[in-house]
Amino acid sequence: SKAWTASPMPELYSYQPARFHLEECLDPLPYPEKSPMIAASPTKSPGSCSVSTPKTPRTPSLLASALSARRQMEQREFLVQLEVKEPGDLGLDFELAEAFCMVSRVYGAAARWNETAETAEKIQKFDQLLAVDDSENVASPTSAASLQKQQGQVKLRLRRPQWRRVELAPKGQKLGLALTRRQESNSILVRKVELDGFVAQSGIRGQETLRVDDCIVAVNGVKDDVAQMAKQLVAKSLTLEVCTY
């Protein structure tokens, strides 16, 4: 019979897939920071994968902004220790707002403290009372009344307000403010800022403007007279001296 011989097998050409990195094809922005993404590795055999982390652009953090604002507030805080000779000698009168207790007059033990204290630790009108002997429950009529009865050593923690100059040109537009006249401190407290008013819209446009709990102490150069200050608020242009807490 005829002999059959095995013919050589034809040479097989191996298929080499195109090597590429998936990160070149995928936009990393939709992925949260530090979330892994699988990508083909050009240094390993075909089919092997490695895990890489896409980098996202850094943006300012709201938390970082809040912490920065908090640090600035803490830098305006200071401690005083008064020697109160008898009940009523504390030497501080207060006005209570919805969120804080504000100094409206300084005399007695507080005035004696100011005679020798450093400038940064002198108690001033419009300072905010934060705590009495480590107790922070001070923004109530009961707490303010009981404070006047104390004697001996009294430790207070206060915060200096940030003084600002605000210029507005409403030109007859509605300011959109709810205000309270403070007779003892001769100031006007901002209780509410309405969103559709001129003041709020100025803030949205990035202009320096008023905020809730701001204390207006002068309007167009008029101060120490709440009634006359209020009349100036209807002017076409306003220059305000403001305490911000």
Side-chain angles (χ1 to χ4, degrees), residues 25-136:
C25 303
L26 297 178
D27 182 1
L29 291 179
Y31 294 87
E33 189 175 358
K34 296 185 179 180
S35 61
M37 180 172 65
I38 298 177
S41 172
T43 59
K44 297 182 180 180
S45 59
S48 63
C49 295
S50 62
V51 176
S52 62
T53 302
K55 295 182 179 179
T56 55
R58 293 176 178 264
T59 56
S61 168
L62 292 177
L63 177 59
S65 300
L67 291 175
S68 176
R70 176 61 185 172
R71 284 194 294 268
Q72 292 178 10
M73 292 175 64
E74 291 176 348
Q75 290 172 358
R76 301 199 308 270
E77 295 180 8
F78 60 100
L79 296 173
V80 304
Q81 187 162 313
L82 305 181
E83 294 288 343
V84 182
K85 296 179 179 179
E86 58 185 2
D89 182 51
L90 180 73
L92 292 173
D93 289 343
F94 300 99
E95 281 190 329
L96 300 178
E98 295 181 0
F100 59 89
C101 181
M102 181 183 69
V103 175
S104 61
R105 189 163 74 99
V106 180
Y107 57 98
R112 293 195 299 272
W113 165 271
N114 284 350
E115 291 175 359
T116 58
E118 298 290 337
T119 301
E121 297 178 349
K122 292 181 183 293
I123 307 173
Q124 300 177 7
K125 183 180 178 180
F126 300 115
D127 284 347
Q128 179 185 359
L129 179 63
L130 300 177
V132 178
D133 294 329
D134 299 324
S135 173
E136 297 184 356

Side-chain angles (χ1 to χ4, degrees), residues 4-233:
W4 292 87
T5 59
S7 59
M9 294 291 292
E11 183 179 357
L12 298 177
Y13 293 91
S14 61
Y15 171 71
Q16 296 291 338
R19 296 182 180 178
F20 60 94
H21 202 281
L22 289 181
E23 285 183 335
E24 298 175 358
C25 303
L26 297 178
D27 182 1
L29 291 179
Y31 294 87
E33 189 175 358
K34 296 185 179 180
S35 61
M37 180 172 65
I38 298 177
S41 172
T43 59
K44 297 182 180 180
S45 59
S48 63
C49 295
S50 62
V51 176
S52 62
T53 302
K55 295 182 179 179
T56 55
R58 293 176 178 264
T59 56
S61 168
L62 292 177
L63 177 59
S65 300
L67 291 175
S68 176
R70 176 61 185 172
R71 284 194 294 268
Q72 292 178 10
M73 292 175 64
E74 291 176 348
Q75 290 172 358
R76 301 199 308 270
E77 295 180 8
F78 60 100
L79 296 173
V80 304
Q81 187 162 313
L82 305 181
E83 294 288 343
V84 182
K85 296 179 179 179
E86 58 185 2
D89 182 51
L90 180 73
L92 292 173
D93 289 343
F94 300 99
E95 281 190 329
L96 300 178
E98 295 181 0
F100 59 89
C101 181
M102 181 183 69
V103 175
S104 61
R105 189 163 74 99
V106 180
Y107 57 98
R112 293 195 299 272
W113 165 271
N114 284 350
E115 291 175 359
T116 58
E118 298 290 337
T119 301
E121 297 178 349
K122 292 181 183 293
I123 307 173
Q124 300 177 7
K125 183 180 178 180
F126 300 115
D127 284 347
Q128 179 185 359
L129 179 63
L130 300 177
V132 178
D133 294 329
D134 299 324
S135 173
E136 297 184 356
N137 184 25
V138 295
S140 69
T142 303
S143 298
S146 62
L147 179 58
Q148 300 294 348
K149 299 177 182 179
Q150 294 195 26
Q151 59 181 336
Q153 289 189 348
V154 179
K155 184 172 66 174
L156 307 177
R157 179 160 57 92
L158 300 107
R159 177 186 295 141
R160 194 85 74 209
Q162 177 187 0
W163 287 82
R164 299 190 299 131
R165 183 185 180 91
V166 177
E167 295 184 352
L168 302 171
K171 298 180 180 179
Q173 298 182 59
K174 178 184 174 183
L175 291 177
L177 297 174
L179 304 172
T180 298
R181 300 183 185 187
R182 314 296 292 184
Q183 298 294 340
E184 292 186 17
S185 61
N186 291 316
S187 61
I188 299 175
L189 179 70
V190 179
R191 292 190 296 105
K192 182 180 179 182
V193 178
E194 298 175 358
L195 186 58
D196 60 347
F198 177 82
V199 169
Q201 293 302 313
S202 297
I204 292 173
R205 292 191 296 269
Q207 300 176 10
E208 186 78 6
T209 187
L210 296 172
R211 312 165 191 172
V212 173
D213 290 336
D214 275 353
C215 192
I216 303 172
V217 299
V219 183
N220 291 343
V222 178
K223 59 182 179 180
D224 297 329
D225 189 330
V226 177
Q228 293 300 320
M229 290 165 57
K231 291 180 180 180
Q232 288 291 323
L233 289 174

